[in-house]
Amino acid sequence: TRDTDCGKTGRCCPRSTLWLLADTADGDQFCTAYKNESDGNLYYGCKSTSATCDGWLIEGPVDSTGNVGDYSTLAFNSEGQPYIAYQNATLKHLKVATKENGIWEVITVDDSGNAGKFADMTIDNNDVVHISYLDGSTGKGLLKYAWGQ
């Protein structure tokens, strides 16, 4: 769902392409990864499950290298570390951002064709990241799968 009830600050729930909510491992927060339409950057935010809209803590931009954050999907490993898979729409690459020791690190997973559309991600019990996505460079596109730690 899209939440734009930001009150006077405009910081709690910025307009985004998609609000994807995920529970953290301990279940006391909701988190989201999204593309901010106003600047084209990828952001990450969390709020307590009991907080109002004003309770959002927004981090970012996580990535600001072009028009980024399309098709974002969010998952957490067993230690509660967030992973965001998304498309860099400028370069047409599938990227993954992860936060380790308070710092966001961004890697390119697939830089061929028009990779990263409709990304979906899960992290298994061994903390292996699994991403399925569409490479839209040919006709109807190719369904692709990437995995790793």
Side-chain angles (χ1 to χ4, degrees):
T1 61
R2 182 182 290 218
D3 191 345
T4 56
D5 181 21
C6 294
K8 296 178 182 177
T9 66
R11 289 286 299 151
C12 64
C13 304
R15 291 184 180 272
S16 65
T17 302
L18 174 67
W19 279 92
L20 172 74
L21 293 176
D23 285 323
T24 54
D26 56 16
D28 68 346
Q29 292 187 86
F30 291 113
C31 296
T32 186
Y34 63 93
K35 174 184 175 180
N36 188 314
E37 294 287 355
S38 64
D39 63 11
N41 295 331
L42 176 68
Y43 288 83
Y44 171 80
C46 290
K47 78 176 197 87
S48 165
T49 56
S50 62
T52 64
C53 183
D54 290 333
W56 283 99
L57 175 61
I58 305 298
E59 295 182 27
V62 172
D63 187 355
S64 60
T65 57
N67 185 8
V68 295
D70 286 350
Y71 308 105
S72 61
T73 181
L74 172 66
F76 297 90
N77 70 7
S78 62
E79 296 176 4
Q81 181 180 357
Y83 285 75
I84 306 168
Y86 60 97
Q87 184 188 54
N88 177 316
T90 302
L91 300 173
K92 309 291 189 219
H93 295 171
L94 173 66
K95 294 183 135 192
V96 170
T98 187
K99 187 177 181 183
E100 190 169 345
N101 299 320
I103 299 171
W104 285 99
E105 178 182 335
V106 177
I107 62 166
T108 300
V109 175
D110 187 345
D111 62 2
S112 65
N114 186 1
K117 289 186 165 191
F118 307 105
D120 194 20
M121 176 176 54
T122 191
I123 301 176
D124 68 24
N125 292 339
N126 296 313
D127 285 339
V128 176
V129 178
H130 302 267
I131 308 169
S132 60
Y133 59 97
L134 183 71
D135 179 338
S137 61
T138 60
K140 294 181 181 178
L142 299 170
L143 177 62
K144 289 187 171 182
Y145 169 70
W147 70 97
Q149 289 182 310

